Amino acid sequence: MHTNLVLGTTVAAAAIGYFFKPKKPKTELEVNSVPIPTVPSYLPLQVDSLLKYIFSVYAEKDEFEYLRHLSAQYGNTLNFRGFNEDLIIVLDPSSIQHILAKNQPNYEKGAEFQAIFHDFLGNGIFNADGETWKIQRHLARPHFQTSEFRDAALINRHVDELLKVIDKHLASNPEKPIEVQSLFCRFTLDEATEFLFGEAANALQDEDNDFATAFNYTQAITGWRFRVPLWRYVVPTRRFLKEIKKLDDFVYRIVDKGIAREEARTREQEKNPSDDEHGGKGGHENLLDHFLSQRQEYGFDREYLRDMLLNFLLAGRDTTASLLTFTVWELSKHPHVLEKLKREVAEVVASGTAPSYDDIKKLKYQKQVINEVLRLYPPVPYNTRHSVEEDVLPNGYYIPPNTTVAYGAYSTHRLVDLWGDDALEFDPDRWGPERVGKIKPFMFVPFHAGPRICLGQNLAYTTAQVTLTRLLQKYDIKASPGFKPELMADIVLFSRNGVEAVLVKQDLSEI
């Protein structure tokens, strides 16, 4: 995206499309509440503040540190206005709890959020409110129960393929750093598509995989829609819609095969009522079949199934890829943590064997490491809600009706007044038995919280732990000299320049 295009169209559209809104009389609730500190701006429609933020993203600076700097100046509840519209940012745990749990019905995704994501996600669970969201969540929950992936067999099968790709790289370039972010994105795409669709995308075998490329591009452009005011006029759509078509072609092909399979199964069951190959609802091998078994009852069409699958794919693929990426990054910088992890794996998992689900539960220090990565690098660093009615937060600040409210796990997880003077340091011991009691509810929300808490969080932990265990059994992890990631969030937290690490073959049984 060209800088002049962003500047010119944003300023021009602001100049001709918006006018100052007349002030509305204050309600009794507002009069008796505390006004939220507002980030000052000096140009009409707060154009200077908006452009400063856009440049902090576009000029390859750290947008998260920019927002942390604002909170340090104006507090943990602040109003970042643009085009005379409020964007209220909340970071304190009590306010996050209020929005996500205690008064959750008042805070919806909202029409603007849904418009931004609609081309990509349609009316799926990530983009839905009300009954649409409730039905999808109710139907999906059984497939994400722990029993569906206790033996971790599907995960281990895809880890086998991941290790083959790494070994191939090391065979030809043993000292060259590996860009692990791209590698983990392809790995989790394959694992997630099989778990959800029953058919893997095979991105690990093909770096230029059409579906993977389209998914990445679509996500990046959707991220810009989320950031840029007047996105309908600024963010390009021609290629975006072409890439959406590639996603649709892949998903609809699988959906149509699934519908044909389910219709054949239904006909067979009508002939032989006692023969149910799935053993009842909830026993299906993938999410698509799970939904298809209830298609007639709920009237799902192809588009509805497409939307649900892409929504769960976004949540399942990218969050785990982000978690694995930044875990490797932190381990490459902290060899003492890496050595302690290796010793734990060697003690718990028999040499030369893949970890079982029971093994994973015994890796206590590994879980501490992963929680610390999730604290510093929450996969969804910021999210938004839209207030339906006016409200007051627990700290007394007033929320107007019909207002966007953002809560930021990234910033909350790094607040010194919550986590101590070492809040920016990577320290898995803060999750140990001696200190974990200091972590209060809603201080740590990497998978959100309340009624919309992530259904796949247990699967994400399991995938990350199985994969990390297998990596530690086979490789040492070393830092790539001079490399530093540049954090960014399209929708999920990634590094715009990837993440490099040096992997060296080793035998864990000798440690």
PDB file of all heavy atoms in Angstrom, residues 402-414:
ATOM      1  N   ASN A 402     -23.455   3.069  21.562  1.00  0.00           N
ATOM      2  CA  ASN A 402     -23.035   3.023  20.157  1.00  0.00           C
ATOM      3  C   ASN A 402     -21.586   3.481  19.990  1.00  0.00           C
ATOM      4  O   ASN A 402     -21.258   4.280  19.108  1.00  0.00           O
ATOM      5  CB  ASN A 402     -23.966   3.883  19.300  1.00  0.00           C
ATOM      6  CG  ASN A 402     -23.797   3.606  17.814  1.00  0.00           C
ATOM      7  OD1 ASN A 402     -23.518   2.481  17.404  1.00  0.00           O
ATOM      8  ND2 ASN A 402     -23.949   4.642  16.992  1.00  0.00           N
ATOM      9  N   THR A 403     -20.714   2.941  20.831  1.00  0.00           N
ATOM     10  CA  THR A 403     -19.307   3.364  20.849  1.00  0.00           C
ATOM     11  C   THR A 403     -18.396   2.153  20.783  1.00  0.00           C
ATOM     12  O   THR A 403     -18.649   1.120  21.424  1.00  0.00           O
ATOM     13  CB  THR A 403     -19.010   4.169  22.125  1.00  0.00           C
ATOM     14  OG1 THR A 403     -19.844   5.326  22.152  1.00  0.00           O
ATOM     15  CG2 THR A 403     -17.552   4.587  22.202  1.00  0.00           C
ATOM     16  N   THR A 404     -17.309   2.280  20.025  1.00  0.00           N
ATOM     17  CA  THR A 404     -16.323   1.202  19.934  1.00  0.00           C
ATOM     18  C   THR A 404     -15.438   1.203  21.178  1.00  0.00           C
ATOM     19  O   THR A 404     -14.890   2.245  21.559  1.00  0.00           O
ATOM     20  CB  THR A 404     -15.461   1.365  18.684  1.00  0.00           C
ATOM     21  OG1 THR A 404     -16.301   1.325  17.525  1.00  0.00           O
ATOM     22  CG2 THR A 404     -14.427   0.230  18.587  1.00  0.00           C
ATOM     23  N   VAL A 405     -15.315   0.046  21.796  1.00  0.00           N
ATOM     24  CA  VAL A 405     -14.478  -0.132  22.980  1.00  0.00           C
ATOM     25  C   VAL A 405     -13.467  -1.228  22.684  1.00  0.00           C
ATOM     26  O   VAL A 405     -13.840  -2.356  22.361  1.00  0.00           O
ATOM     27  CB  VAL A 405     -15.323  -0.507  24.210  1.00  0.00           C
ATOM     28  CG1 VAL A 405     -14.434  -0.647  25.444  1.00  0.00           C
ATOM     29  CG2 VAL A 405     -16.419   0.518  24.452  1.00  0.00           C
ATOM     30  N   ALA A 406     -12.191  -0.894  22.780  1.00  0.00           N
ATOM     31  CA  ALA A 406     -11.121  -1.866  22.518  1.00  0.00           C
ATOM     32  C   ALA A 406     -10.494  -2.294  23.830  1.00  0.00           C
ATOM     33  O   ALA A 406     -10.297  -1.480  24.732  1.00  0.00           O
ATOM     34  CB  ALA A 406     -10.064  -1.255  21.603  1.00  0.00           C
ATOM     35  N   TYR A 407     -10.210  -3.581  23.950  1.00  0.00           N
ATOM     36  CA  TYR A 407      -9.449  -4.060  25.100  1.00  0.00           C
ATOM     37  C   TYR A 407      -8.188  -4.726  24.577  1.00  0.00           C
ATOM     38  O   TYR A 407      -8.189  -5.390  23.548  1.00  0.00           O
ATOM     39  CB  TYR A 407     -10.263  -5.031  25.966  1.00  0.00           C
ATOM     40  CG  TYR A 407     -10.773  -6.250  25.241  1.00  0.00           C
ATOM     41  CD1 TYR A 407     -10.107  -7.464  25.318  1.00  0.00           C
ATOM     42  CD2 TYR A 407     -11.941  -6.183  24.479  1.00  0.00           C
ATOM     43  CE1 TYR A 407     -10.576  -8.585  24.653  1.00  0.00           C
ATOM     44  CE2 TYR A 407     -12.426  -7.292  23.814  1.00  0.00           C
ATOM     45  CZ  TYR A 407     -11.727  -8.498  23.902  1.00  0.00           C
ATOM     46  OH  TYR A 407     -12.198  -9.605  23.223  1.00  0.00           O
ATOM     47  N   GLY A 408      -7.075  -4.485  25.260  1.00  0.00           N
ATOM     48  CA  GLY A 408      -5.784  -4.878  24.710  1.00  0.00           C
ATOM     49  C   GLY A 408      -5.029  -5.837  25.592  1.00  0.00           C
ATOM     50  O   GLY A 408      -4.380  -5.430  26.564  1.00  0.00           O
ATOM     51  N   ALA A 409      -5.087  -7.130  25.247  1.00  0.00           N
ATOM     52  CA  ALA A 409      -4.332  -8.119  26.023  1.00  0.00           C
ATOM     53  C   ALA A 409      -2.843  -7.816  25.985  1.00  0.00           C
ATOM     54  O   ALA A 409      -2.137  -7.968  27.001  1.00  0.00           O
ATOM     55  CB  ALA A 409      -4.611  -9.524  25.481  1.00  0.00           C
ATOM     56  N   TYR A 410      -2.336  -7.393  24.851  1.00  0.00           N
ATOM     57  CA  TYR A 410      -0.901  -7.114  24.732  1.00  0.00           C
ATOM     58  C   TYR A 410      -0.456  -6.090  25.778  1.00  0.00           C
ATOM     59  O   TYR A 410       0.546  -6.298  26.480  1.00  0.00           O
ATOM     60  CB  TYR A 410      -0.583  -6.616  23.327  1.00  0.00           C
ATOM     61  CG  TYR A 410       0.886  -6.326  23.095  1.00  0.00           C
ATOM     62  CD1 TYR A 410       1.730  -7.308  22.582  1.00  0.00           C
ATOM     63  CD2 TYR A 410       1.432  -5.077  23.399  1.00  0.00           C
ATOM     64  CE1 TYR A 410       3.076  -7.049  22.371  1.00  0.00           C
ATOM     65  CE2 TYR A 410       2.776  -4.811  23.195  1.00  0.00           C
ATOM     66  CZ  TYR A 410       3.591  -5.798  22.676  1.00  0.00           C
ATOM     67  OH  TYR A 410       4.930  -5.539  22.481  1.00  0.00           O
ATOM     68  N   SER A 411      -1.173  -5.006  25.871  1.00  0.00           N
ATOM     69  CA  SER A 411      -0.776  -3.959  26.826  1.00  0.00           C
ATOM     70  C   SER A 411      -1.079  -4.356  28.261  1.00  0.00           C
ATOM     71  O   SER A 411      -0.271  -4.111  29.173  1.00  0.00           O
ATOM     72  CB  SER A 411      -1.498  -2.654  26.482  1.00  0.00           C
ATOM     73  OG  SER A 411      -1.050  -2.157  25.238  1.00  0.00           O
ATOM     74  N   THR A 412      -2.243  -4.970  28.493  1.00  0.00           N
ATOM     75  CA  THR A 412      -2.593  -5.400  29.843  1.00  0.00           C
ATOM     76  C   THR A 412      -1.572  -6.386  30.383  1.00  0.00           C
ATOM     77  O   THR A 412      -1.167  -6.323  31.551  1.00  0.00           O
ATOM     78  CB  THR A 412      -3.993  -6.030  29.859  1.00  0.00           C
ATOM     79  OG1 THR A 412      -4.957  -5.058  29.449  1.00  0.00           O
ATOM     80  CG2 THR A 412      -4.355  -6.540  31.248  1.00  0.00           C
ATOM     81  N   HIS A 413      -1.125  -7.305  29.544  1.00  0.00           N
ATOM     82  CA  HIS A 413      -0.165  -8.322  29.963  1.00  0.00           C
ATOM     83  C   HIS A 413       1.219  -7.750  30.263  1.00  0.00           C
ATOM     84  O   HIS A 413       2.080  -8.467  30.783  1.00  0.00           O
ATOM     85  CB  HIS A 413      -0.016  -9.375  28.861  1.00  0.00           C
ATOM     86  CG  HIS A 413      -1.220 -10.240  28.699  1.00  0.00           C
ATOM     87  ND1 HIS A 413      -1.282 -11.269  27.776  1.00  0.00           N
ATOM     88  CD2 HIS A 413      -2.413 -10.255  29.329  1.00  0.00           C
ATOM     89  CE1 HIS A 413      -2.455 -11.865  27.843  1.00  0.00           C
ATOM     90  NE2 HIS A 413      -3.160 -11.259  28.785  1.00  0.00           N
ATOM     91  N   ARG A 414       1.443  -6.485  29.924  1.00  0.00           N
ATOM     92  CA  ARG A 414       2.758  -5.874  30.134  1.00  0.00           C
ATOM     93  C   ARG A 414       2.713  -4.686  31.098  1.00  0.00           C
ATOM     94  O   ARG A 414       3.682  -3.939  31.196  1.00  0.00           O
ATOM     95  CB  ARG A 414       3.342  -5.429  28.782  1.00  0.00           C
ATOM     96  CG  ARG A 414       3.693  -6.597  27.861  1.00  0.00           C
ATOM     97  CD  ARG A 414       4.031  -6.134  26.455  1.00  0.00           C
ATOM     98  NE  ARG A 414       4.431  -7.268  25.608  1.00  0.00           N
ATOM     99  CZ  ARG A 414       5.624  -7.413  25.026  1.00  0.00           C
ATOM    100  NH1 ARG A 414       6.554  -6.479  25.201  1.00  0.00           N
ATOM    101  NH2 ARG A 414       5.899  -8.468  24.278  1.00  0.00           N
TER     102      ARG A 414
END
